[in-house]
Amino acid sequence: MSPSPRRLRAALAAVLLGLLAAVFSPGTPAQAAPAVYYTNPIANQRADTHIYKHTDGYYYMTATVPEYDRIVLRRATTLQGLSTASETVVWRKHSSGVMGAHIWAPEIHYIGGKWYVYFAAGATNDVWAIRMYVLEGTGANPLTATWTEKGQITTPWNTFALDASTFVNNGVRYLIWAQQEPGIATNSNIYIARLSNPWTITGTVARLAVPTLAWETRGYKVNEGPTVVQRNGKVFMTFSASATDANYCLGLLTAPAGADLLNPASWTKSANPVFASNAATGQYGPGHNSFTVSEDGQSDILVYHDRNYRDITGDPLNDPNRRTRIQKFYWNADGTPNFGIPVADGVTPVRLRSANVADRYVRHWEYRARLDTNVTVLADSQFRIVSGLAGSGSVSLESTNFPGYYLRHRNFEVYVERNDGTAAFRGDASFFQRTGLSGTGVSFESQNYPGRYVRHSNYLLYVQAVSDATGRADATFILE
């Protein structure tokens, strides 16, 4: 019996809904973006970095300088270009009084046709009287704009306050910041309020987070440096916690985009840090981040500072060697951000997504290379493509969370193993990167066994000869 028109329409609707769900579901390949390559660090002795991509095609970068005495800007058409861009001083500290010391954590924003820089400053007669201030810039290029002081941002308490940032959600502009509140025995908490103009809060001030967990209270009880990224129907607010040494790390607050953001109950704090020191990669105290996007607008980029050593002599505030770093971050299947780990200095890693099993990525599991879905331990699925250990134009794929370990074949099975320095290892861990055998992406041909390619079979990786369409698809990967 033929199905009725009503059943046909219902079936067609179900198929369309399924297709729409596949396209728009968080974490599906529709959200994937081409690989990006940057080399870290972007800038030495620049902390609390904020990078803003403007509609004029430029990235604008500002950061705390170790002298704590001025606000600097640089610009470039690429993120990597910021590393060599000239730097312009747009404002210097006052010689006396307020705004005369500890010039910290500038952020640059473009609001209503003008430029605004939020920053914190102490006073010459009390360097710890840290408060939040705003500069307004008139002109198309903020490096040559005319800057005027709009004064202090007034909050309910005249106490230690810093790290102002701003974002818009559902047409409402908010200010978020860190402050010491009387009656709460912490160094700083996270607050939010609406703005009536870029330098004036209005209405309710809500306290969103207080440092209470072990990872928020190492050295000092600190929640500071809030900043926002909005995706997948959620508002994600990262913040920095603990002392500014190797204990410094990022936490995460999450709220539904449609919720009342001034209601603390709308927000959920992560139980653990979402980005922290990593001894394997040699990165310590990552924090005070901001967010931007890649040059093509398709990849989300985490901007942060850290140090490449753990131990600091004296007060960390007097150590000048925090560096600006950037790396791509990804989105989990549940729509939450996955920052992974602070990657090693040098070129940033990529992920290898299967071309024919589009929800699976190359990763290592107990050192065996395989394809898996929803790899929440992000660094397991990230590899640096570096010059091949065997030379001759080859490449090697270095593990992100096990630097010095490489994808190599052994008995034609692919593992992640430590380079033992032998010629055999160098050959086994070297590949020629080819155009993808299935006509898209890339394929990796063994350097010491020409004609054999890295391919998956039953979700495990092998180095095998490829002779048919299935094999060509199995041996093709998309770099993300």
Side-chain angles (χ1 to χ4, degrees), residues 13 94 109 148 196 203 217 250 254 289 328 335-336 362 367 428 472:
H94 290 191
H109 297 267
T148 57
S196 59
T217 56
L250 292 182
T254 303
N289 75 291
K328 180 174 179 173
T336 57
V362 174
Y367 302 107
D428 292 348
R472 289 191 291 273

Side-chain angles (χ1 to χ4, degrees), residues 189-209:
N189 315 307
I190 302 295
Y191 297 86
I192 187 172
R194 294 189 180 202
L195 285 171
S196 59
N197 61 44
W199 59 92
T200 307
I201 64 175
T202 183
T204 301
V205 170
R207 182 195 326 115
L208 298 185

Side-chain angles (χ1 to χ4, degrees), residues 330-351:
Y330 298 80
W331 296 91
N332 294 317
D334 64 359
T336 57
N338 194 327
F339 303 115
I341 63 175
V343 299
D345 283 349
V347 66
T348 53
V350 300
R351 303 180 84 191

Side-chain angles (χ1 to χ4, degrees), residues 185-256:
T186 59
N187 297 90
S188 57
N189 315 307
I190 302 295
Y191 297 86
I192 187 172
R194 294 189 180 202
L195 285 171
S196 59
N197 61 44
W199 59 92
T200 307
I201 64 175
T202 183
T204 301
V205 170
R207 182 195 326 115
L208 298 185
V210 175
T212 57
L213 303 174
W215 54 270
E216 301 176 290
T217 56
R218 296 188 179 115
Y220 295 99
K221 297 178 179 180
V222 169
N223 284 172
E224 65 182 17
T227 193
V228 159
V229 62
Q230 300 175 68
R231 292 287 187 282
N232 306 321
K234 299 286 182 66
V235 179
F236 300 101
M237 185 186 301
T238 52
F239 62 93
S240 299
S242 289
T244 57
D245 53 18
N247 292 304
Y248 212 46
C249 58
L250 292 182
L252 185 68
L253 299 170
T254 303

